[in-house]
Amino acid sequence: EAQVTQNPRYLITVTGKKLTVTCSQNMNHEYMSWYRQDPGLGLRQIYYSMNVEVTDKGDVPEGYKVSRKEKRNFPLILESPSPNQTSLYFCASSLSPPGGSYNEQFFGPGTRLTVL
Amino acid sequence: AQSVSQHNHHVILSEAASLELGCNYSYGGTVNLFWYVQYPGQHLQLLLKYFSGDPLVKGIKGFEAEFIKSKFSFNLRKPSVQWSDTAEYFCAVRDGGSYIPTFGRGTSLIVHP
């Protein structure tokens, strides 16, 4: 089944304790991105990646890191989480067929993170 | 930078009422337009999209949207809503200079049975 998976789905942690949220897609998609969703603010893009070893900042990258060592995986890393990073996080991927035209994004199930 | 406005933040309707959710964007060039739905506790799913051609786009579950270029709008409509349409709806716009779309803040729709 074609899908985007995220782990963990729920995480409660404390300020300063490094954590990683994994994201994996099995659709051979080139584009992957991370969003955070907060009430009244909608989805805001954190980082995106156009291909392996190619990543770029989105609108709210501060406090986050990503890596794209393999096409299927795009982990989100919080080196020193803070309470303002308490949010719902979504990973998404999309295909870039030959010619570079864009297709819609497929979203993962979300990771609800609480930083105490 | 591209901006996307969803003017209705919260909408409450009774079943069988008609729905129209507004979406306006700021980019003047070629755009790709999307509406996503997020049911309670679930991830975002694509409702419909517009890339080119007929500006009236039909999506899943009876939804449709009309692209009006002169108004920079892509409003979502459904003639008769159901209780199961209770969800959050996001408009997203991708302009020609970006690989990733910009999302609006979302509209929360509650449909009373």
Side-chain angles (χ1 to χ4, degrees):
Chain A
E1 180 190 355
Q3 60 183 347
V4 179
T5 56
Q6 294 178 226
N7 281 292
R9 295 289 312 280
Y10 302 90
L11 179 60
I12 300 174
T13 189
V14 295
T15 299
K17 186 176 181 181
K18 181 180 178 179
L19 66 92
T20 299
V21 184
T22 65
C23 172
S24 183
Q25 50 90 8
N26 61 2
M27 296 170 278
N28 202 36
H29 284 174
E30 292 186 8
Y31 298 138
M32 297 187 74
S33 53
W34 275 103
Y35 295 88
R36 61 178 287 174
Q37 183 180 14
D38 302 288
L41 297 177
L43 275 83
R44 294 179 293 168
Q45 190 184 87
I46 303 170
Y47 268 94
Y48 66 94
S49 169
M50 289 186 283
N51 214 325
V52 175
E53 301 292 3
V54 181
T55 63
D56 211 343
K57 295 177 180 178
D59 299 320
V60 288
E62 293 78 23
Y64 304 96
K65 284 174 56 177
V66 292
S67 71
R68 189 90 182 274
K69 294 186 171 59
E70 308 164 277
K71 199 171 187 178
R72 62 182 293 129
N73 296 323
F74 190 45
L76 178 70
I77 303 155
L78 285 71
E79 295 271 5
S80 183
S82 62
N84 65 12
Q85 291 178 298
T86 292
S87 187
L88 179 58
Y89 291 86
F90 286 101
C91 179
S93 72
S94 58
L95 177 66
S96 173
S101 59
Y102 179 81
N103 284 282
E104 74 267 19
Q105 291 176 291
F106 292 81
F107 284 82
T111 295
R112 187 165 291 281
L113 172 65
T114 301
V115 183
L116 302 174
Chain B
Q2 175 70 263
S3 70
V4 181
S5 298
Q6 291 184 240
H7 310 295
N8 316 103
H9 297 299
H10 300 279
V11 174
I12 302 174
L13 296 172
S14 299
E15 273 194 318
S18 64
L19 171 72
E20 181 159 2
L21 301 182
C23 174
N24 287 90
Y25 59 93
S26 61
Y27 185 70
T30 301
V31 290
N32 303 142
L33 302 158
F34 309 85
W35 275 99
Y36 284 86
V37 60
Q38 184 181 27
Y39 297 105
Q42 296 189 25
H43 62 284
L44 278 79
Q45 303 169 45
L46 184 70
L47 264 182
L48 49 78
K49 62 185 177 183
Y50 172 81
F51 278 18
S52 64
D54 188 346
L56 184 61
V57 180
K58 303 270 186 209
I60 60 171
K61 305 187 181 188
F63 285 91
E64 64 178 32
E66 185 174 12
F67 170 48
I68 303 180
K69 190 173 182 179
S70 61
K71 295 185 178 180
F72 300 90
S73 70
F74 190 55
N75 292 356
L76 181 70
R77 301 195 292 248
K78 185 170 183 178
S80 176
V81 294
Q82 301 172 307
W83 174 78
S84 57
D85 293 324
T86 293
E88 191 142 10
Y89 292 82
F90 292 93
C91 178
V93 179
R94 173 187 170 265
D95 64 54
S98 172
Y99 289 103
I100 303 294
T102 299
F103 281 79
R105 292 190 174 189
T107 297
S108 174
L109 171 66
I110 296 174
V111 180
H112 288 300

